Amino acid sequence: MKPAIARHPRLEAMPASLLAKPLDYIFADHFRQRTLCNLLEELADAATPDEPLTREVIGFLAGDMALHVQDEEEDLFPLLRRRCPPEDEIEAVLSALAREHHADERMARDIVEGLEACMAAGRAPRTDADLRARLTEFARRQRRHLAVENSIVLPIARNRLTELDLANLTKRMAERRA
Ligand SMILES: [Fe+2]
Ligand SMILES: [Fe+2]
């Protein structure tokens, strides 16, 4: 008989103490989203159903990932719009990212629905060609989105946001997770 090995989550919880440095928190959350992309591709390719992983991915998409988009749309992006001078040309970048958030939200809902249907039927996601394509496309889009946020948005935020802005960001993000 095989020894029982406790299954650890593939997406670790964020340390709440990191909220004191909200831009570092967002950066670390981006790292988890890269892990999510790898897991979506793993699910797309798996020959057999992996229910614990599927449940974890569904929980992340509907939970932490949705909170992260709210952090950006409701707090970080508005702060940047207020603080950045026109020469930063941030508006075009933020509008494109917001459009991607909306499109990705719809795609995430379809993915959650597809994964739940697969779980209910005891099938691996790769038996559903549309779902498989959505999983890999979502991962591809997310990686590009993360690259823009890490290489443009966060460096400008580090430059432009004031100490008070960062304190308010901490407060808002903590309230959202309370
Ligand atoms: Fe982000
Ligand atoms: Fe984003």
Side-chain angles (χ1 to χ4, degrees), residues 157-174:
R158 289 187 196 285
N159 231 346
R160 299 295 187 197
L161 299 194
T162 65
E163 286 300 316
L164 185 60
D165 290 338
L166 294 172
N168 284 332
L169 194 52
T170 291
K171 188 168 166 280
R172 296 267 303 169
M173 289 167 62

Side-chain angles (χ1 to χ4, degrees), residues 28-45:
D29 229 354
H30 286 168
F31 182 79
R32 289 201 307 166
Q33 288 163 23
R34 279 190 204 285
T35 305
L36 170 77
C37 292
N38 297 338
L39 297 179
L40 292 174
E41 288 172 341
E42 197 177 311
L43 280 178
D45 286 340

Side-chain angles (χ1 to χ4, degrees), residues 26 30 33 68 72 101 145-146 149:
I26 289 172
H30 286 168
Q33 288 163 23
H68 176 86
E72 291 179 343
H101 285 156
H145 185 95
L146 292 167
E149 290 182 342

Side-chain angles (χ1 to χ4, degrees), residues 144-161:
R144 208 171 45 88
H145 185 95
L146 292 167
V148 173
E149 290 182 342
N150 281 350
S151 64
I152 300 175
V153 175
L154 288 179
I156 290 182
R158 289 187 196 285
N159 231 346
R160 299 295 187 197
L161 299 194

